[in-house]
Amino acid sequence: MQYYNVHFVFPAEAFIGVNIGTDLSDMPHPTQAVALLKAQQIRHVRLYDADRGMLVALADTGIQVMISVPNEQLLGIGQSNSTAANWVSHNVVAHYPATNITGICVGSEVFTTTPNAAPVLVNAMKYIQSALVASNLDRQIKVSTPLSSSVILDSFPPSQAFFNRSWNPVLIPMLNFLQSTGSHLMLNIYPYYDYMQSNGVIPLDYALMKPLAPTKEAVDANTLVHYSNVFDAMVDASYFAMAFLNFTNIPVMVTESGWPSKGDTNEPDATLDNANTYNSNLIRHVLNKTGTPNHPGIAVSTYIYELYNEDLKPGPVSEKNWGLFNANGEPIYILHLTGAGLVLANDTTNQTYCAAKEGADPKMLQAALDWACGPGKVNCSAMLQGEACYEPDNVIAHATYAFNSYYNRMGKAPGTCDFNGVAAITTTNPSHGTCIFPGSTGKMNSVGNITAPSMNSTSSAPPVRNLYNNLGSMSSMSFLLLRVLICSIVFL
């Protein structure tokens, strides 16, 4: 079989999102669900419908939302342009831009779950797109449809992968649509099922994305590329499958991936530890921007399946146990995300902390830091050069220490972790090494991910933080007098 060496340069940043299913006997109110998203720093969500309550609750949060046309509505929309226009009017135009809708999933796994609707799938996508164009929203909101990875045949080695040819009459016009509109191929990837169905051929560590010795990696004999996990191999297989049909510039987005935390007796690998291992490794892998072995550095944004355990899901026990949280917001397990940033630091059972937001404007962070160490009356001596919290010496790390100190000093009262929008509450303990943050229970996490450069002032007066950095040899009385002077300067 001929294979293709495909290379892309896609500028998009990789992100982690979360799917929100609603098959719960005690589904949280939309405002509760959104509060959980905000507390977990989740900035991307996918809904399986366009529930008005959720869209209203998500308004003015900045959270990027993908909504869905349910499979049962495909036949109607795929056969009527006016029906599609009405759907977009009620579910998109009525909420945008207050609710930051960025994508529409037209159906889900249609080929494998609702094959009778497959003949009208592309029409449905085109009609939805036309309605977005009419509302001048086609640049902001992209249209696609999530596919099951099972539509890709002969997926290893990836270079020999191809789509199930019986679906080519739908797939080819669909890929043409994605290419012409600048959208993604959406793929649901479940290494758990690949592992379970492999009859022992796929090792568990390979499915779980655990580090492997080079001798245990799988090698594509055509490209000589090494693969250390199922996820990467399947993403590359999808690129090759598209190239086999002469589509070489459509990026891949993974709309579902995860691992169940509990299963039946014949599902021994659906465990808390394995679910934690897979999701933690996946999140780190995506956010580290490593891409895949055949497409290094190319973003593969991924939505974790899923936010809540869905106890009403039919089928085996595992079907009810893919969630990160129970309906009451308690984590099923605590993700191992040292070094992965604030997203999904889901330890809601322990202390809360106040941290600088990643991506916040450095000048605003510096101003907030100056205020906290001055008028805010935070003791910032631990950030002096040579002290426990001096390193890492950058504005995000120092601001996080000061913000958290103020937050604790004010009794964690509502509104005391905002600092003009550059701070947010997190459940990840930012303590590191010998730098123990106020309110810490002693549980350590790395802040190695905090890499924003220090602010270098171009004005004649140095930033307050830089003054603090040069106080290593001062007596405590001199230090106190200088703090009073700094406060006076800030108030002028």
Side-chain angles (χ1 to χ4, degrees):
M1 177 181 290
Q2 183 181 9
Y3 67 94
Y4 300 79
N5 192 17
V6 189
H7 295 284
F8 308 89
V9 181
F10 295 126
E13 288 287 321
F15 62 78
I16 283 288
V18 178
N19 289 278
I20 305 179
T22 57
D23 285 345
L24 288 78
S25 55
D26 188 20
M27 179 66 194
H29 189 275
T31 56
Q32 293 175 293
V34 171
L36 179 60
L37 296 174
K38 291 167 72 174
Q40 296 301 314
Q41 297 285 299
I42 298 168
R43 308 302 300 165
H44 301 263
V45 297
R46 175 185 170 219
L47 309 180
Y48 287 94
D49 50 24
D51 180 75
R52 183 180 180 277
M54 278 299 297
L55 292 176
V56 169
L58 285 161
D60 303 316
T61 63
I63 295 172
Q64 297 189 29
V65 185
M66 279 209 304
I67 60 177
S68 301
V69 176
N71 286 1
E72 59 268 23
Q73 296 181 27
L74 280 181
L75 287 174
I77 288 176
Q79 297 177 81
S80 169
N81 204 345
S82 61
T83 301
N86 187 53
W87 191 93
V88 168
S89 175
H90 281 85
N91 299 301
V92 179
V93 177
H95 299 282
Y96 188 90
T99 302
N100 190 14
I101 299 170
T102 58
I104 300 174
C105 298
V106 181
S108 180
E109 300 190 344
V110 175
F111 297 150
T112 48
T113 62
T114 320
N116 65 303
V120 301
L121 175 60
V122 177
N123 271 350
M125 295 169 72
K126 288 180 176 179
Y127 289 157
I128 293 289
Q129 176 73 9
S130 295
L132 291 175
V133 170
S135 299
N136 200 28
L137 293 175
D138 53 301
R139 290 183 179 273
Q140 301 94 319
I141 302 172
K142 295 301 179 181
V143 176
S144 187
T145 183
L147 303 179
S148 166
S149 61
S150 64
V151 302
I152 299 173
L153 304 182
D154 201 11
S155 59
F156 201 92
S159 60
Q160 294 183 188
F162 59 95
F163 289 112
N164 185 330
R165 291 184 176 90
S166 66
W167 291 116
N168 279 2
V170 180
L171 275 167
I172 291 174
M174 185 195 82
L175 293 171
N176 268 315
F177 171 85
L178 298 178
Q179 182 172 260
S180 66
T181 59
S183 191
H184 291 77
L185 175 76
M186 293 180 172
L187 199 64
N188 296 342
I189 298 178
Y190 286 102
Y192 171 75
Y193 290 129
D194 293 325
Y195 164 74
M196 289 287 287
Q197 296 163 10
S198 74
N199 295 318
V201 173
I202 295 177
L204 181 60
D205 286 356
Y206 183 73
L208 290 172
M209 303 184 81
K210 286 187 175 181
L212 298 179
T215 55
K216 292 188 176 182
E217 293 177 341
V219 181
D220 186 323
N222 296 317
T223 61
L224 301 182
V225 170
H226 287 236
Y227 289 90
S228 60
N229 62 75
V230 172
F231 181 89
D232 282 348
M234 187 56 71
V235 171
D236 275 349
S238 68
Y239 280 123
F240 279 107
M242 285 192 286
F244 188 78
L245 296 177
N246 296 315
F247 294 93
T248 58
N249 60 349
I250 301 173
V252 172
M253 173 184 286
V254 177
T255 35
E256 292 179 17
S257 195
W259 197 282
S261 60
K262 187 178 180 181
D264 287 323
T265 54
N266 62 341
E267 300 175 297
D269 296 298
T271 66
L272 284 171
D273 186 58
N274 286 344
N276 194 343
T277 297
Y278 178 77
N279 282 326
S280 297
N281 287 342
L282 175 62
I283 293 168
R284 278 196 301 269
H285 182 59
V286 170
L287 296 183
N288 285 345
K289 306 173 186 176
T290 51
T292 61
N294 206 56
H295 304 94
I298 294 177
V300 186
S301 295
T302 301
Y303 289 80
I304 301 295
Y305 185 82
E306 58 185 330
L307 186 65
Y308 296 115
N309 271 346
E310 295 185 270
D311 62 310
L312 299 182
K313 279 276 191 182
V317 171
S318 61
E319 278 297 307
K320 310 173 193 295
N321 289 279
W322 290 82
L324 299 171
F325 296 90
N326 285 319
N328 60 8
E330 291 181 357
I332 306 299
Y333 46 84
I334 307 304
L335 290 162
H336 303 312
L337 293 181
T338 300
L342 298 177
V343 65
L344 274 171
N346 67 336
D347 187 355
T348 59
T349 59
N350 285 332
Q351 296 283 347
T352 57
Y353 305 87
C354 184
K357 287 183 179 178
E358 293 186 58
D361 181 84
K363 291 183 179 179
M364 291 185 66
L365 280 175
Q366 185 67 59
L369 170 59
D370 294 348
W371 183 89
C373 292
K377 299 182 180 180
V378 168
N379 182 357
C380 294
S381 59
M383 295 185 290
L384 299 178
Q385 189 166 6
E387 297 298 326
C389 299
Y390 174 70
E391 295 289 350
D393 180 22
N394 62 62
V395 69
I396 292 184
H398 286 189
T400 293
Y401 182 88
F403 294 171
N404 185 67
S405 298
Y406 181 81
Y407 177 60
N408 275 271
R409 183 173 171 274
M410 301 305 292
K412 301 185 179 182
T416 58
C417 180
D418 181 71
F419 295 91
N420 288 326
V422 297
I425 294 171
T426 177
T427 52
T428 298
N429 184 351
S431 299
H432 53 98
T434 57
C435 178
I436 308 302
F437 276 51
S440 170
T441 57
K443 179 182 171 184
M444 299 300 162
N445 283 316
S446 168
V447 292
N449 57 298
I450 299 176
T451 56
S454 301
M455 287 293 297
N456 294 315
S457 175
T458 56
S459 63
S460 57
V464 173
R465 185 178 64 82
N466 290 343
L467 290 176
Y468 281 116
N469 288 347
N470 295 319
L471 299 180
S473 59
M474 281 195 175
S475 67
S476 59
M477 181 59 71
S478 298
F479 177 68
L480 178 60
L481 290 172
L482 184 56
R483 281 186 62 187
V484 172
L485 174 61
I486 291 169
C487 292
S488 301
I489 293 171
V490 172
F491 277 121
L492 288 177

